[in-house]
Structure formats: C-alpha cells, structure tokens
C-alpha cells in the first residue's frame, strides 16, 4: 500500500485528491495538512511514501517544507511531488533542486496523478508527462554554468550515456529503445547511476546532468 500525505491549504482540493486516491486498491491517504508547518509535523509523524505538496501555503510554503524534508536523512524514503496551478511556475525549478521527486499541475487528469504517485515510489518519475520536455528545456535555459564533472568519473561510459538520456527527459522504455536493450536493463543502469552519484531520485539525476555539463541546452530530442 502506497501511503500518501496531502498538503494543501484548500480543503476542497484535499477532499478531491483523497476521494481519488482512497478509491485505489494500492494507494491510501495517510493524513492531511493545511500548511507547511503542519505538513512537516505530519511527515515526521506518519512517514508517508509520497507527499503531494502545494507550492503556495501559509506559515511555511511548500518549497521551504520540501527543503526540510529532503535534507532530513531520517526522511530519505519520503518522496515529494509538488502541486501548482501553473505548468511553468517559477518555483518548480527551485523545487527540483531542493529535492522534489516530481511536479504536477492541480488540474492534471486523474489517471496521470495516479500514475505519478505510483511512479515516484519506484523512482521513475520526474514531472507531469505532458510538460516534461518543455520544462526540462526551460530548466536547462535557466541552469547555472556547468560545474566540474568530477563526480562523473565514477560512472561507466554506458552509465554516462544513460544519464544523458535521462537528462533530456527520456523514460526507461525510451532509453531502452534508443540503446537497444531491455527496459529492465535501462532501469538497472539508471538505478546504479543514482546510487553512484548519491541522487535521491530521477529528478536529481536530471539536475546533475545539466550542472555537470553532461547535457547542455538544445540537446533535447
């Protein structure tokens, strides 16, 4: 059972998400929070698998709450999916750098939300599928100058290749087709790369791909 915490200051939004999630046989809502401070308390108390976190909340916004969650080694298994009203919210870029595992717009299709919740638990999600490549392109344009790529020396040539493909927004299935390997092999390469680089999840792997200079703006496709 995937346990989800709903953090949003609008009770109607929480109620809608709860109805959808609780209707699934493999997902359950562990609790709710109406502001960032309450979200932090509930995360530490309930240790959910996934937090659906609104970016804009009173007392402590979702971005600050996410930073605290992802910086707490005791909460390393908690995945945060950011919720926002706008596809290219300016805070999304900071949220990904802060360690958020995913990003969804609030009016996303129900099936997409369910897919995202299940995917982040497996470490496969990055962003709302409908805006992934567009958002990565925008992230790349805003990304700071590449840092030294010293950490990449730990990777094999194939792992670097896989990391670059993750960086341009390809799924495991798309990577498998590009490299002519099985999806399981592609997933294994992605997992090993994350372990070697100490990345929490796929989202941080994308950040590292850009910030190390392995992937540059304009390489999408």
């Amino acid at each position: 059972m995937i346990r989800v915490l709903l953090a949003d200051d609008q009770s109607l939004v929480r109620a809608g998400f709860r109805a959808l999630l609780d209707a699934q046989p493999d997902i359950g809502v562990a609790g709710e929070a109406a502001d960032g401070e309450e979200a932090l308390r509930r995360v530490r108390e309930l240790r959910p698998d996934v937090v659906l976190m609104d970016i804009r909340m009173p007392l402590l916004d979702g971005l600050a709450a996410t930073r605290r969650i992802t910086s707490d080694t005791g909460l390393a298994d908690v995945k945060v999916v950011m919720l926002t009203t706008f596809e290219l919210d300016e805070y999304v870029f900071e949220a990904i750098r802060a360690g958020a595992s995913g990003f969804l717009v609030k009016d996303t299709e129900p099936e997409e939300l369910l897919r995202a919740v299940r995917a982040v638990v497996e470490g496969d999600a990055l962003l709302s599928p409908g805006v992934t490549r567009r958002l990565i392109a925008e992230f790349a344009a805003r990304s700071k100058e590449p840092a030294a790529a010293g950490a990449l020396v730990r990777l094999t040539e194939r792992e670097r290749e896989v990391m670059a493909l993750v960086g341009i927004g390809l799924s495991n299935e798309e990577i498998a087709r590009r490299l002519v390997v099985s999806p399981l092999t592609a997933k294994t390469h992605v997992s090993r790369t994350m372990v070697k680089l100490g990345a929490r999840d796929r989202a941080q792997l994308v950040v590292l791909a850009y910030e190390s200079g392995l992937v540059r703006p304009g390489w999408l496709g």
Side-chain angles (χ1 to χ4, degrees), residues 5-156:
L5 176 71
L6 303 175
D8 195 294
D9 61 339
Q10 298 181 33
S11 58
L12 282 177
V13 172
R14 298 197 308 273
F17 283 156
R18 177 181 278 276
L20 173 65
L21 296 171
D22 278 342
Q24 308 308 308
D26 60 333
I27 303 174
V29 175
E32 300 182 16
D35 60 66
E37 291 285 3
E38 185 180 10
L40 279 175
R41 291 195 301 271
R42 298 291 276 166
V43 166
R44 289 168 179 148
E45 171 192 351
L46 300 171
R47 302 299 174 101
D49 300 300
V50 179
V51 182
L52 292 181
M53 179 87 75
D54 187 19
I55 284 184
R56 295 178 177 85
M57 289 188 293
L59 299 184
L60 186 70
D61 66 33
L63 185 58
T66 297
R67 283 199 189 99
R68 295 193 192 180
I69 291 171
T70 59
S71 64
D72 187 334
T73 55
L75 302 175
D77 293 332
V78 178
K79 307 294 185 182
V80 178
V81 175
M82 304 300 298
L83 300 171
T84 184
T85 306
F86 307 104
E87 289 184 346
L88 293 181
D89 189 299
E90 63 180 303
Y91 294 112
V92 169
F93 306 100
E94 291 305 317
I96 297 301
R97 280 202 177 100
S101 297
F103 157 71
L104 289 171
V105 288
K106 288 186 177 180
D107 62 353
T108 189
E109 293 296 322
E111 295 79 9
E112 196 170 297
L113 174 66
L114 296 173
R115 190 182 308 117
V117 168
R118 294 181 176 113
V120 292
V121 171
E122 295 298 323
D124 289 339
L126 171 60
L127 306 165
S128 180
V131 299
T132 297
R133 287 179 178 79
R134 182 151 55 100
L135 189 56
I136 289 178
E138 185 71 13
F139 172 82
R142 298 186 185 197
S143 184
K144 62 187 180 183
E145 287 299 310
L152 300 187
V153 299
R154 306 173 199 162
L155 305 182
T156 65

Side-chain angles (χ1 to χ4, degrees), residues 158-159 162 172-173 175-176 179-193:
R158 176 46 62 92
E159 287 165 349
V162 168
N172 288 343
E173 290 73 19
I175 291 172
L179 300 180
V180 195
V181 298
S182 71
L184 179 59
T185 297
K187 183 175 182 179
T188 299
H189 284 311
V190 172
S191 297
R192 286 177 178 168
T193 301

